[in-house]
Amino acid sequence: MTRARFTAPEGFRVLPGWLSPHAQRALIDSVRAIEADAPLYQPAMPRTGTPLSVTMTNCGPLGWVTDKDRGYRYERLHPVTGRPWPPMPQALLDLWEAVSGWPQPPQACLINVYRDTSRMGLHVDADEDARDAPVVSVSLGDPARFRIGGPQRRDPTGSLKLSSGDVVVLAGPARRCHHGVDRIYPGASTLLPEAWRPGRINLTLRRVN
Ligand code: SIN
Ligand code: FE2
């Protein structure tokens, strides 16, 4: 953490290198198969319609989507193809069981694809009825500068670099804390397929209801 006055919220856990290189490559293969069935699409901010700087898809029974007219929400169907999201890979269900401490399985896995200048503004994950279930996220590909703060947007923040294979858990009080991605470090990893390089993939597992 970079700032003196900042203390990481309770329930914020970083598991550096949790996934082996072999497990990371296997997950990328799964993401490619998911993407072949549920293509990446361009999400947009509610009301303004400003495109996000990441592209997205999902796997699992529910997927997180956003567009100009209907905003942030969970949907059973892909917004472009109208098909159900592909099933969640067993490796992600196993990861959730190993690190979440939550008795029920995750219902949604949001797949964010960051390119060289993509970022993610500070936000709280707040579209789930299951507000107490942890959020578990996986970093793959190029490293990123991840920022975490408090329940209020103006609360002090700190940042850390997340590398491929790192897993983050937002549980307890940290579940309601602001977080985002300042930047990625393009070109540092060759894990992703060439079509997505430079780039970073973040998988976010959530319980929705
Ligand atoms: C998010 O909070 O939506 C993404 C976090 C990340 O990319 O690490
Ligand atoms: Fe988030």
Side-chain angles (χ1 to χ4, degrees):
M1 293 294 172
T2 50
R3 292 188 190 178
R5 289 181 308 107
F6 174 74
T7 318
E10 195 189 326
F12 176 64
R13 280 163 69 210
V14 182
L15 307 168
W18 183 267
L19 296 173
S20 69
H22 176 77
Q24 294 172 44
R25 283 191 295 271
L27 260 185
I28 290 297
D29 288 345
S30 298
V31 171
R32 294 176 79 162
I34 289 163
E35 207 271 334
D37 180 28
L40 291 167
Y41 80 99
Q42 179 61 65
M45 297 291 287
R47 293 178 298 279
T48 60
T50 308
L52 274 62
S53 66
V54 293
T55 53
M56 294 181 170
T57 187
N58 288 269
C59 59
L62 294 171
W64 188 87
V65 299
T66 176
D67 57 32
K68 181 177 193 288
D69 296 329
R70 297 180 56 206
Y72 303 151
R73 64 200 190 274
Y74 283 91
E75 294 281 1
R76 295 184 180 283
L77 305 177
H78 189 291
V80 179
T81 68
R83 290 197 295 268
W85 305 103
M88 226 180 279
Q90 187 60 42
L92 293 178
L93 298 171
D94 292 347
L95 171 70
W96 175 272
E97 194 167 331
V99 306
S100 75
W102 196 256
Q104 298 159 306
Q107 292 169 299
C109 173
L110 172 62
I111 301 172
N112 285 133
V113 178
Y114 294 76
R115 301 308 302 264
D116 51 358
T117 60
S118 304
R119 51 186 298 284
M120 178 81 67
L122 274 187
H123 66 277
V124 177
D125 292 11
D127 303 311
E128 302 76 31
D129 294 328
R131 293 291 304 274
D132 293 326
V135 169
V136 173
S137 97
V138 180
S139 293
L140 296 168
D142 287 335
R145 181 142 296 274
F146 182 84
R147 187 162 292 281
I148 175 103
Q152 307 298 322
R153 179 171 291 279
R154 64 173 182 277
D155 289 337
T157 65
S159 74
L160 72 162
K161 197 168 173 177
L162 290 181
S163 297
S164 195
D166 293 355
V167 169
V168 169
V169 182
L170 299 178
R175 176 68 178 77
R176 290 174 182 73
C177 288
H178 284 77
H179 59 275
V181 171
D182 293 354
R183 58 165 298 189
I184 75 161
Y185 297 89
S189 164
T190 53
L191 179 78
L192 301 195
E194 250 175 70
W196 293 341
R197 280 188 350 229
R200 169 179 186 260
I201 291 181
N202 173 257
L203 309 175
T204 299
L205 304 169
R206 303 193 187 106
R207 182 81 203 168
V208 179
N209 51 45

